[in-house]
Structure formats: structure tokens, C-alpha cells
Amino acid sequence: MHYIPEVICGVLLLLAGVQSIPNDVYLKMFANQSPPEDPCYSKAREPRVCIPDFVNAAFDAPVVASSTCGATGPQRYCELGDRERDREMACHSCDLSSPQRSFTAHALTDLNNSNNVTCWRSAPVPATATGAGNVTLTLSLGKKFELTYVILQLCPHAPRPDSMAIYKSSDYGSSWQPFQYYSSQCRRTFGRPARLQVGKHNEHEARCTDFTRHAPGEAVPSRIAFSTLEGRPSARDLDSSSVLQDWVTATDIRIVFHRLQRSDAQALLALEAGSSGDLASGKYNSVPQAPTGNNIEVAVGADQGAVTVSGGGAVGGGGSGLHYAISDFSVGGRCKCNGHGSKCSPDTSGQLSCECSHNTAGRDCERCKPFYFDRPWARATAKEANECKECNCNKHARQCRFNMEIFRLSQGVSGGVCQNCRHSTTGRNCHQCKEGFYRDPTKALTHRKVCKACDCHPIGSSGKICNSTSGQCPCKDGVTGLTCNRCARGYQQSRSHIAPCIRQPPRMSNMLDTQNTAPEPDEHESVGPGGGNDRGGASGAGAAQSPYYRTEGGRECGKCRVITKKLNLNKFCKRDYAIMAKVIGRDTSSEVAASRDRYPDRDRADPDVEDYEMDQDQPGAVPADRGFQDREAEAEADYPNDSGAARYDLQIQAIFKRSRPGASSSGAGSVYGMPSTMLKRGPMTWIIPTRDLECRCPKIRVNRSYLILGRDSEAPPGYLGIGPHSIVIEWKEDWYRRMKRFQRRARTCA
């Protein structure tokens, strides 16, 4: 215990050295450790081909032998001596129950040490054993590997096999395919020529080779090596040859020994004639004796394993101690990941599997992982990584499948077909709305509420299925609107659920939708005291045309004197003012009582029809055609202290002409005179007689702009009005420059 203080001092010095390291230096030691680079992706995160490391796939893998020396009890096995010095064969005993004398198949795949060679030895076999006397070794790799070579290292001084075959399985032992044949008599043993020419048409076929031949003076081969790609024409371009890819792929390897090489006759006879020993001790002495003959031949019809010596008797081959002995079984290759994985490791179930990249899955990365089926799976190559692509379902599906026909039609761009689309979508990419829904243009295609349910009116539409793109419902005859909720132009509302809109009765040609009026009277025409032609009568040719008709409310209408079509410089000069104004609303507060008194039966209307009325236009909305509202809802408004006019709220947006004080063109017949200071940009009240509105003279709509020309005498002070000399035309944007031109030219008006 005298060394304990020295140990304690050493530990204290070590701790003092650690504490002397500054904190920042200590942290930098870990900061410089960057994560390892992924071999399957470049530094720019571009996919590229990657393969696992080259390994000995047979190391520590299980091997099953059909025969093992000493498996049924102590047995004798013999080894060849140095043939250059003597012909003696040394024999020993094997026993599976004794660790020192057991030669199990585990020795084939353990760590190979040339200084301490371990061997597997089969039970003694006849020198000419065939058929039922075959000995097999089956190696299970546990996963698909792409093999480069198979090597069998022979035990020193052990008898050499003369005929053997290597088989491979790609389906974990369910089926077997010949890999390579070895024999001194290829055609006789395996029906194959010893020198087979391999081309692209037969590069997947096994060849037969005689490995027993060697030049005089050369050492006897101590191993059997098979290269899987040697002599194959497509070996240099393995990525493009699916035949060779299948050829080198294996999950299991099986070695079948058919026959041993012919042993020296004198050594073989010495084993039987002069050998003595003890099986328990495992020691034998073999003394060569002169045989009566040296010719050995195989007796085809003799007992199995019998060797006939000329001049002598039959010797039991099974008692000769000849056997197969292999010291190492190695298989070189790479874990098969099809270029999509750089490493293999045990999975959760303990099976060896690839760590897949490029959106692939499977033990061998042999398929695309779920929802990455937009292109077909393919093996990664040096030219193309063939990364699996995610299906484009616009976030409305979680499953998809691949369709090769669609992929070909898209010229190799996309082949994924989405399944079980959600959020009321449908289509290959869940990019369309299903039946009964339409696309909401205000939302992105990936939004979960991009599809809205059709809102077709139950009375106005002929079905509940709208257009999936525009949302337009199928409307009945005479009905219009996105949801079929109003009557079209020229139709009026009825009380029938079958035909909710009926065509309006015919009217006079001068009172149709054009609202064209009589021409402006010339300068020489006489104007009455009322300031225009009499509405109540006609003369000359006008009397023959009967320019009167009745409205739906019973109003008798005549020729409209408000000009609603054309304007020229002459008309512009004859008016006191010219403005552009927008109708922003209608004052109905004073119209309700008059409407109820005038139409007492309105409250007893059909409730179903009332539900079918169109909502009133809101400020800022796009005005539509006359809807399903009751035409008679346009009740009369009041002049101040009068119930014969309607009031509209205007927003004057531009003034092109206004009268100067004392210079009104209304003449001596003026009743009102509007001061010029009242006409300015901003709000203004517009008073229109109710009889003119009912006769559509003019036809006024809310939220629309109009060009209004008139005289000051046609309105009470502080208001705009409508008279026989008024001009009301719906405004168009390209008129602004024309009105400015009229404004400049009006300076020359008389």
C-alpha cells in the first residue's frame, strides 16, 4: 500500500491541470465540432448517390453445415502430409463434445487469424462420393447485399475438393440460382463447358472453372476465390444494367461440395493396411507399405465410397478419414441500398436495414415512402439521384398513388394522383371544388376553406349545383344573378314558384329602356308659359301616335321631356348649369306614410314571395338590374310640404357650368332663381317628381353617376330639380375630356 500516496498526488495534479484551462478555450473545443456531412446530399443540400461502406458481409454471420466431424461421436479425420518429402497422412480424432477437438461451422466466419487457424471439418466422406454424399454450407447474410467476391480459405494439409458449386439466393433461401461451378470435369459433372464465352446475352449465367490445374512447380492453391463481375461485359456500367444488378444481389450463399480430389494411392492404402491408434487419444501412426498396384479407378457400380486397387481388395472409403475442411468463409460486398442510403444498421426488430435518404423507404430503400409518389421510384446513379417527389395535393390530402400513364402524358414531370381529398376538393391534385361547391377567389388554393357551398336560391334556381369555378347557379327563365335571386331586365316578379319572373307587358316604342325623348325644340318654336310643350295634349302628327300608356301602378304616362340620350354644344349653352354627380341614396323617411296610404294591400303579400326579394344595394356595391323587390316600393317622396316628389342625395363631383348672378337663361318666366354660391362640390339634394320616376323619366339608380344639365328656374332654392329642359345622362368615364371641351367652347355662346 506504499504506492497510494503517489496515485493521489497524480490525480490532484491532473485536476489542477484541467482547472487551469480557461473557460472560453474549453467551450471552443466543442464549438469547432460541426455535424458530420451527409453523404447523400451535397453542401447545397442537393441529392446525390450514396452507397454504404465495403465490408465482409459474412463476418460473424450464421453458417449451417450439413455435416460436421464428431457430431455423432468421436470420428477419425486425416490430413495430407508434405508430398514433396513423404506420402504420409496424419490422422486425428474429432469430437463435438470436446472443445479442443470440435470443428464447428462457427469457425468459418469468426475473426481469421493466420497465427491461430480455426477450421470447420466435415465428417469423413468417400473420395468419390457424389449425390447423397454431398456436403453443403449455407451462409445467411440477413439482408440483400451486392457482392463482389466469395472466398473459401482451405485448411492447411486438408484434402482439396475436386468438384463444388456456389449458389446464391435473393429471396432469403426460397429459391437458389447457380453462381459458379468448379470441377476438373465440368461437362461430365455439371453439363457445362470449361471455357464458356460470356456476352451480354448470357452474362447472368454461371461458368465452370477447373481450379485444380496448376503449372508444375507451383504451390497447390490454398483458397478458392470467385469474382462476381469478372468477365461480364456490363461490369463497368453496373448502374445501367439491371441484369447485373440482380446478378450480384444475394441474401444467402450456399456451397455444395460434390467430390474430393483423388488422393495418392499409397497414402490412401497405408491408412487402411498399416494404421493403428486410439480414437480416444486422437493419435494415429501410418506406415506406408508397398501396394500390389498403383492404378486407381472409380467403380461406378460399386458400393458408395469403395476404392478398388488393382492387385488388392476393396477398402472402405468412409474409413479413410478424408473430409472437407475450410478455415475461412468471406463474402465481400456492400449493403444493398440502391444508391439511397450510406449506412445499414439494425432496426427496431433487430433486422439489418438501410438508413434511407431521398424520401425512400424499405429495408433496401427499394420504394418511395408514403405520399412521395409524384415520380416513379428509381435507383440512384452518378448522373441522377432520382429522389422521390412529394405529391402536390395543395394540403388537402394525405395519401396519393402513382399513375404511369399520367406521368407519360406530363412528359416525365408529375404522375401522382391524390386520394381522399378533404375540404370539399377533388381532382388529381385536389385543385378543384367538388360538386355542390365553388372556388372562393379571395382565398389561396391551399386554404382549408377555399371551396364554398353553392348558395342557389330555392325559388329562382333550377338546381342546387353551381359552377365549380364561378359559383354561378342554374337560373330559371327570366331570372339572373350569381345565386338566381333577382329578375332579369325586361322581367318582373310574379307570385309563382314555378315561374318567379315573367316578361313585362309591351310599352310604346318611345318609352322603352332607351328612354329616348322628343327632340329639343328649335329656336323658332314657340314655348308656352309652362316652359315647354303641354303634357296633357298633342297637335298635328303627334296626336295620331297616342303617346300615352299606363304603368303597373295605374299612372298615366306621356312623352318624357327629360333628355336622357344626347348632348351637343347648343344644348349645353341653353342650360344654366352642368354637373357630374353621384346618387348616393334616397331619402325615404317622408315616403313611408304616403306609401302605406296609397297601397294598403301591400302588407298582405305572399310571404314566400317576400322571402324572394333582393337585398337593397349597399353603398359601394356594384348596382345590378332591377331585382325581385316590389316595383311599388318606390313610393312618392315630398317636396317640402308636398307629397308629389322624391328626394335623392347627390354628391357633386365635378362642375362644368354654373349661372352667373343675374344672368340666368330662364328668362322672364323664371319662378325660382338658384344663387350661384349654392352650386359647389359636395352633398346636394335632388328633387324629382314622383310621376316622372314612375314613368322612368328619368330612370335613377343608386350608386351611379349622372351628367345633369338644367335651369335654375326648375328647382326650389337650395335644391336641384327636374324640368322639361333638364338633361340626365348616365355618366361615362371617357366624357370628362369632352365636357371640358364644351366648357371652353361655351364662352362663345350667344
Side-chain angles (χ1 to χ4, degrees):
M1 301 297 290
H2 63 280
Y3 58 87
I4 292 180
E6 297 178 358
V7 174
I8 295 175
C9 292
V11 172
L12 293 176
L13 290 174
L14 180 61
L15 293 176
V18 173
Q19 292 177 357
S20 64
I21 300 177
N23 292 335
D24 56 344
V25 176
Y26 184 76
L27 294 176
K28 288 181 180 179
M29 294 171 60
F30 296 95
N32 293 331
Q33 296 180 0
S34 59
E37 183 180 352
D38 190 350
C40 298
Y41 293 91
S42 64
K43 292 183 179 180
R45 298 303 300 171
E46 293 292 334
R48 62 184 180 185
V49 62
C50 53
I51 55 177
D53 295 334
F54 189 87
V55 297
N56 177 15
F59 178 73
D60 208 22
V63 179
V64 178
S66 63
S67 174
T68 303
C69 187
T72 59
Q75 288 181 303
R76 183 182 67 167
Y77 70 93
C78 298
E79 296 179 325
L80 299 175
D82 189 350
R83 296 188 178 185
E84 295 181 358
R85 292 183 297 179
D86 55 57
R87 301 176 180 177
E88 181 178 342
M89 296 187 70
C91 296
H92 309 277
S93 67
C94 56
D95 188 357
L96 200 61
S97 62
S98 175
Q100 291 79 13
R101 292 184 292 167
S102 62
F103 304 96
T104 61
H106 177 69
L108 295 171
T109 57
D110 62 355
L111 185 62
N112 187 23
N113 186 0
S114 59
N115 297 324
N116 184 20
V117 178
T118 58
C119 295
W120 160 82
R121 299 180 187 276
S122 71
V125 296
T128 57
T130 57
N134 293 346
V135 177
T136 62
L137 295 175
T138 304
L139 170 67
S140 178
L141 303 178
K143 188 194 173 300
K144 288 185 178 180
F145 278 79
E146 292 181 334
L147 306 184
T148 303
Y149 62 79
V150 177
I151 296 179
L152 294 176
Q153 188 74 33
L154 304 177
C155 288
H157 309 298
R160 274 30 178 186
D162 177 77
S163 298
M164 58 173 286
I166 303 176
Y167 295 87
K168 67 128 181 171
S169 174
S170 300
D171 51 12
Y172 301 94
S174 297
S175 61
W176 295 91
Q177 177 184 355
F179 226 4
Q180 178 72 12
Y181 297 111
Y182 291 101
S183 179
S184 60
Q185 299 177 350
C186 289
R187 190 174 294 277
R188 180 178 179 181
T189 305
F190 299 110
R192 299 267 179 168
R195 296 181 180 179
L196 176 65
Q197 295 294 330
V198 178
K200 286 192 174 182
H201 66 284
N202 64 342
E203 59 184 357
H204 60 286
E205 296 181 5
R207 296 187 298 177
C208 186
T209 304
D210 183 6
F211 70 94
T212 62
R213 295 181 181 180
H214 57 277
E218 292 183 358
V220 178
S222 62
R223 67 175 184 174
I224 301 171
F226 164 60
S227 176
T228 59
L229 294 176
E230 182 181 1
R232 312 287 168 174
S234 302
R236 293 186 177 181
D237 193 13
L238 182 63
D239 288 337
S240 61
S241 175
S242 59
V243 174
L244 278 191
Q245 291 172 17
D246 294 338
W247 169 254
V248 300
T249 300
T251 59
D252 300 84
I253 299 295
R254 174 171 289 177
I255 309 296
V256 180
F257 297 101
H258 289 269
R259 185 177 60 190
L260 284 166
Q261 289 185 11
R262 294 181 179 181
S263 304
D264 182 77
Q266 293 183 359
L268 182 61
L269 292 174
L271 294 176
E272 298 296 334
S275 61
S276 62
D278 185 8
L279 281 176
S281 62
K283 297 180 180 179
Y284 292 87
N285 294 322
S286 300
V287 180
Q289 297 181 359
T292 57
N294 294 327
N295 298 327
I296 301 176
E297 63 182 13
V298 178
V300 179
D303 294 337
Q304 181 181 3
V307 179
T308 303
V309 182
S310 58
V315 180
S320 65
L322 299 179
H323 64 288
Y324 299 102
I326 307 295
S327 65
D328 186 64
F329 189 177
S330 60
V331 177
R334 301 179 189 271
C335 186
K336 185 180 180 68
C337 296
N338 293 293
H340 297 299
S342 61
K343 185 179 179 182
C344 286
S345 59
D347 57 12
T348 56
S349 61
Q351 294 181 331
L352 192 64
S353 302
C354 295
E355 296 181 6
C356 299
S357 299
H358 306 159
N359 301 318
T360 57
R363 291 189 65 187
D364 309 318
C365 304
E366 75 280 5
R367 64 179 183 271
C368 292
K369 69 180 184 180
F371 203 67
Y372 285 83
F373 302 138
D374 202 42
R375 61 175 297 171
W377 177 93
R379 179 188 176 98
T381 64
K383 297 180 180 179
E384 179 60 45
N386 292 320
E387 183 181 31
C388 292
K389 292 175 58 179
E390 183 179 10
C391 291
N392 178 22
C393 296
N394 295 296
K395 299 182 180 180
H396 298 303
R398 298 175 181 174
Q399 296 177 341
C400 66
R401 60 179 177 84
F402 177 75
N403 187 292
M404 180 57 74
E405 186 65 25
I406 295 177
F407 185 74
R408 291 174 179 172
L409 293 176
S410 67
Q411 298 181 355
V413 176
S414 173
V417 179
C418 300
Q419 295 178 308
N420 302 323
C421 293
R422 301 175 300 163
H423 307 147
S424 305
T425 59
T426 187
R428 185 172 75 89
N429 302 115
C430 299
H431 60 290
Q432 298 174 341
C433 294
K434 68 179 184 181
E435 191 176 76
F437 293 81
Y438 69 97
R439 168 77 183 276
D440 187 352
T442 63
K443 291 181 174 58
L445 185 57
T446 57
H447 197 278
R448 60 188 302 270
K449 294 184 179 180
V450 67
C451 290
K452 298 176 63 177
C454 296
D455 189 21
C456 300
H457 199 284
I459 298 178
S461 63
S462 58
K464 297 181 180 180
I465 307 302
C466 63
N467 185 281
S468 61
T469 303
S470 63
Q472 177 63 54
C473 296
C475 299
K476 295 180 180 178
D477 187 25
V479 183
T480 187
L482 188 66
T483 60
C484 305
N485 63 336
R486 63 179 183 270
C487 291
R489 184 186 297 271
Y491 287 81
Q492 64 184 17
Q493 181 181 350
S494 69
R495 299 193 178 188
S496 171
H497 289 184
I498 300 176
C501 294
I502 58 176
R503 189 175 294 276
Q504 294 177 349
R507 298 175 180 173
M508 297 298 295
S509 60
N510 65 326
M511 289 303 299
L512 293 178
D513 290 335
T514 59
Q515 299 183 9
N516 208 350
T517 57
E520 183 79 2
D522 296 333
E523 293 288 340
H524 61 275
E525 289 185 359
S526 59
V527 181
N533 293 334
D534 187 8
R535 288 179 179 259
S539 61
Q545 296 180 359
S546 301
Y548 296 100
Y549 75 99
R550 290 185 178 274
T551 64
E552 300 167 10
R555 171 79 66 179
E556 186 180 66
C557 298
K559 187 185 300 181
C560 184
R561 298 188 180 185
V562 178
I563 300 175
T564 61
K565 267 297 186 183
K566 296 181 180 180
L567 175 66
N568 53 34
L569 182 60
N570 184 31
K571 297 177 182 178
F572 186 84
C573 291
K574 290 182 178 181
R575 270 62 181 178
D576 293 335
Y577 61 89
I579 62 173
M580 188 269 284
K582 182 178 181 180
V583 180
I584 60 176
R586 180 174 178 177
D587 185 5
T588 59
S589 60
S590 61
E591 301 177 26
V592 176
S595 176
R596 290 178 177 175
D597 295 340
R598 188 175 179 184
Y599 306 107
D601 296 334
R602 181 180 176 185
D603 294 336
R604 296 192 298 271
D606 191 346
D608 293 333
V609 178
E610 291 295 330
D611 292 339
Y612 189 50
E613 292 178 356
M614 182 188 69
D615 295 336
Q616 293 291 333
D617 292 335
Q618 300 297 326
V622 178
D625 295 336
R626 190 173 186 87
F628 290 151
Q629 71 246 26
D630 195 341
R631 310 292 186 185
E632 298 176 354
E634 300 178 358
E636 296 180 345
D638 296 332
Y639 272 111
N641 302 322
D642 189 7
S643 60
R647 292 184 179 185
Y648 283 91
D649 294 330
L650 296 181
Q651 183 70 25
I652 299 178
Q653 298 175 337
I655 301 175
F656 303 106
K657 183 181 179 182
R658 69 178 113 195
S659 62
R660 296 185 299 274
S664 175
S665 61
S666 59
S670 299
V671 178
Y672 300 113
M674 185 171 61
S676 61
T677 56
M678 297 296 297
L679 194 60
K680 58 183 179 180
R681 291 191 179 185
M684 177 68 71
T685 301
W686 194 17
I687 300 178
I688 303 176
T690 305
R691 62 178 180 274
D692 292 339
L693 285 177
E694 292 183 352
C695 294
R696 296 187 179 184
C697 183
K699 181 179 180 181
I700 304 300
R701 297 177 183 174
V702 179
N703 292 322
R704 294 205 180 181
S705 298
Y706 294 89
L707 176 64
I708 305 173
L709 294 86
R711 294 182 178 177
D712 296 338
S713 60
E714 296 175 339
Y719 298 92
L720 287 180
I722 289 290
H725 298 285
S726 298
I727 299 177
V728 180
I729 306 176
E730 190 170 342
W731 177 260
K732 296 182 180 179
E733 292 298 330
D734 57 348
W735 286 0
Y736 190 82
R737 296 180 61 185
R738 184 180 303 177
M739 294 304 300
K740 283 294 184 180
R741 187 166 61 251
F742 281 175
Q743 189 178 19
R744 291 193 300 268
R745 295 175 59 186
R747 299 173 184 173
T748 61
C749 293

